[in-house]
Amino acid sequence: MNRMNCIKNTTSIRKLVYIFTIICLFSLTACMSKEEKEKAKNNETLARPIVQEYLKRNYGSGEIKSLDNLNRPKRDLVLPDFSKITSSYVKSSVIVNKKEFSVITNVETGQCYDNYNEQLVVDDLKNYAAASLSIDAPYDIEVHYYLKDLDGELNGSSFGNFTEYGITSVDDLFKNDQYQIYLICKYVASDMDFGSVDTKRFFPASEVSDVYLALLNFRSKDRYNARDMASLDYFYFGGPNNQYRLSDVVTAYKVKAYDSESKKSYYDDNVNYRYARYLSKSINGIEFVWNDIAYALDFEVVPAEKEIQMEDHSGKTFYSTDGKAISVGCTFRLDKRDDEDDRIYCYFDKALNKREMIVTDNNSEYRKYDLSTLQRDSDGHIYDALYINDKEMSYTLGFYKKK
């Protein structure tokens, strides 16, 4: 590449960095137009008498401490939009009989929702899970529920664990058909037989709200994640971060299905169920993690190829650093592939950061060798993955360097 091309490329990169910086600044200083501010203030004024009447009708009386108009969630756009758009919903902080809670009000319809009974409902859900599933007591249970009517109108964090007035129990929540419910039972190094848990017993046979259940077994206390692991429309426990932490993952959910011919939603008795058992094996500073339900793996420390010529790197030759390699043989156990587990994750000791590794795909004739430089990701892990795309696969991993 000549000097002029280098200058042009450098200038282009600088322009991209400049544009990205401006976009970030705009995102940090996102503002609301004068029109939207006036609309928000007017909504808060409209909400006050509606909330006062709601509190009087349902709780006898109550005090409004504050009102805050809620913004509409951003839609997926080609170009970023940092403006704030007012919704028709106002969130109020209120006090009834010395108990503080919140009320969400639609100023256009007058409909109100609150979280007065949140602790009652959460506790009842936890007790119901333990009783219906006949499981060992979890280390912790994470619970979320969301009103379907507000999905798309507000950000999920704005209306989590709000209900219509009068919802106080699991039965009320399940059979109302207006909620998405998430319950995550967390365990730490449990020896419970997760694969034998009858999750169908958790789901009522009648038409119910959309219900999502997960049983998660963390490998150890130091890999435990105390943060929320599920939220509105997010129910996924795969990926490198989760597989590093988890040894057993049971997921089950029952939701309305959609019939494209009649264009109607309906319930059936099917519960979508999945169980993954992630085994772990450490060899020479590498921890391999895979779903043992899907794959059988064989490991062997073997002599490394002393030198490998990399065509993708201008034909440069790389030399083994220690003369050792790890052979990984994989056999697919199931009749049907599971896209959530199409790889074996490899986690590396921190001492191996910045080392160069060559993975040999022993099944491939097109691209046999793959060179990568190990780097720590945002979660602090150093990891790579071996992709499984055939009934039987074989890989060899070794560390190399250029002389």
Side-chain angles (χ1 to χ4, degrees):
M1 183 182 290
N2 60 40
R3 181 175 175 77
M4 184 57 69
N5 286 336
C6 286
I7 293 173
K8 285 180 180 178
N9 287 340
T10 303
T11 304
S12 298
I13 292 170
R14 286 176 177 170
K15 285 180 179 178
L16 288 172
V17 171
Y18 176 76
I19 292 169
F20 179 74
T21 303
I22 295 297
I23 289 174
C24 289
L25 289 173
F26 269 115
S27 67
L28 292 172
T29 58
C31 58
M32 183 179 284
S33 69
K34 184 180 178 181
E35 250 186 326
E36 292 298 319
K37 285 181 180 178
E38 290 176 355
K39 183 179 177 183
K41 191 172 183 62
N42 183 55
N43 284 349
E44 291 166 4
T45 302
L46 292 172
R48 183 174 290 275
I50 298 174
V51 176
Q52 287 174 333
E53 173 59 26
Y54 177 79
L55 296 177
K56 182 179 180 181
R57 183 174 67 253
N58 296 304
Y59 298 101
S61 64
E63 175 192 349
I64 300 175
K65 290 184 63 180
S66 63
L67 299 107
D68 183 24
N69 196 93
L70 299 173
N71 297 324
R72 292 184 184 276
K74 290 291 189 297
R75 306 298 181 190
D76 293 333
L77 301 172
V78 176
L79 295 175
D81 178 10
F82 301 117
S83 61
K84 292 183 178 180
I85 307 298
T86 302
S87 77
S88 57
Y89 290 90
V90 173
K91 193 172 188 177
S92 312
S93 177
V94 303
I95 297 178
V96 171
N97 297 328
K98 297 183 180 180
K99 179 175 180 176
E100 187 171 338
F101 61 101
S102 297
V103 178
I104 291 178
T105 306
N106 186 326
V107 297
E108 293 179 356
T109 66
Q111 178 68 52
C112 292
Y113 310 96
D114 70 46
N115 59 358
Y116 182 86
N117 291 318
E118 178 180 4
Q119 198 58 54
L120 271 177
V121 175
V122 167
D123 289 345
D124 201 31
L125 267 169
K126 291 180 179 180
N127 293 333
Y128 173 79
S132 64
L133 294 170
S134 300
I135 53 177
D136 296 346
Y139 182 81
D140 191 19
I141 301 181
E142 177 185 331
V143 176
H144 311 280
Y145 48 90
Y146 303 88
L147 277 150
K148 292 181 184 178
D149 287 348
L150 300 184
D151 186 13
E153 296 295 324
L154 299 174
N155 288 314
S157 58
S158 300
F159 64 95
N161 294 11
F162 278 78
T163 67
E164 300 162 294
Y165 175 76
I167 301 292
T168 61
S169 68
V170 170
D171 283 344
D172 294 337
L173 201 63
F174 273 13
K175 297 178 181 178
N176 193 277
D177 193 25
Q178 294 299 319
Y179 297 90
Q180 284 184 231
I181 304 162
Y182 298 82
L183 192 141
I184 318 299
C185 298
K186 298 179 179 180
Y187 295 82
V188 177
S190 172
D191 59 0
M192 184 173 73
D193 185 358
F194 287 84
S196 67
V197 176
D198 184 5
T199 57
K200 288 185 178 181
R201 295 176 57 188
F202 181 79
F203 300 89
S206 59
E207 294 192 0
V208 296
S209 292
D210 294 349
V211 183
Y212 298 79
L213 169 71
L215 309 178
L216 307 179
N217 190 22
F218 289 82
R219 295 186 187 283
S220 59
K221 187 67 181 292
D222 63 326
R223 297 194 184 186
Y224 177 73
N225 182 5
R227 299 190 302 271
D228 288 347
M229 296 188 68
S231 61
L232 182 64
D233 296 327
Y234 186 83
F235 189 69
Y236 176 70
F237 308 102
N241 192 28
N242 284 328
Q243 290 190 21
Y244 176 76
R245 298 175 182 275
L246 300 171
S247 59
D248 297 270
V249 177
V250 176
T251 57
Y253 61 93
K254 184 177 180 180
V255 299
K256 268 188 174 179
Y258 182 74
D259 184 0
S260 57
E261 291 185 6
S262 64
K263 296 183 179 179
K264 291 181 180 179
S265 296
Y266 66 95
Y267 276 104
D268 58 31
D269 289 331
N270 291 327
V271 173
N272 294 279
Y273 170 87
R274 181 178 183 272
Y275 172 50
R277 181 177 62 241
Y278 295 111
L279 296 190
S280 168
K281 185 177 181 66
S282 295
I283 305 174
N284 294 348
I286 307 175
E287 180 180 351
F288 297 89
V289 176
W290 71 99
N291 181 4
D292 187 57
I293 303 294
Y295 306 112
L297 297 191
D298 292 313
F299 299 92
E300 185 182 0
V301 177
V302 297
E305 292 186 58
K306 293 182 179 180
E307 56 183 66
I308 296 176
Q309 190 174 24
M310 299 293 296
E311 295 180 3
D312 291 347
H313 293 265
S314 304
K316 293 179 180 177
T317 301
F318 289 77
Y319 299 86
S320 174
T321 58
D322 58 5
K324 297 178 182 179
I326 301 172
S327 171
V328 182
C330 173
T331 302
F332 189 58
R333 296 184 192 269
L334 306 178
D335 295 329
K336 185 179 179 182
R337 287 183 54 77
D338 186 342
D339 291 337
E340 287 192 38
D341 288 316
D342 62 350
R343 67 203 71 181
I344 301 161
Y345 282 105
C346 313
Y347 302 92
F348 301 87
D349 288 350
K350 294 179 180 179
L352 297 175
N353 194 32
K354 304 297 185 182
R355 293 280 297 275
E356 290 180 313
M357 179 182 71
I358 291 180
V359 175
T360 305
D361 183 348
N362 299 314
N363 296 76
S364 175
E365 295 180 1
Y366 169 65
R367 186 179 177 182
K368 191 174 180 66
Y369 301 107
D370 186 50
L371 172 70
S372 60
T373 301
L374 301 180
Q375 293 187 355
R376 192 171 302 174
D377 72 352
S378 58
D379 291 316
H381 301 141
I382 308 170
Y383 75 91
D384 207 331
L386 306 177
Y387 288 83
I388 310 302
N389 50 33
D390 208 343
K391 188 75 176 176
E392 294 187 355
M393 300 287 295
S394 173
Y395 288 100
T396 307
L397 294 73
F399 294 103
Y400 290 78
K401 64 179 182 180
K402 294 176 290 187
K403 282 191 177 178

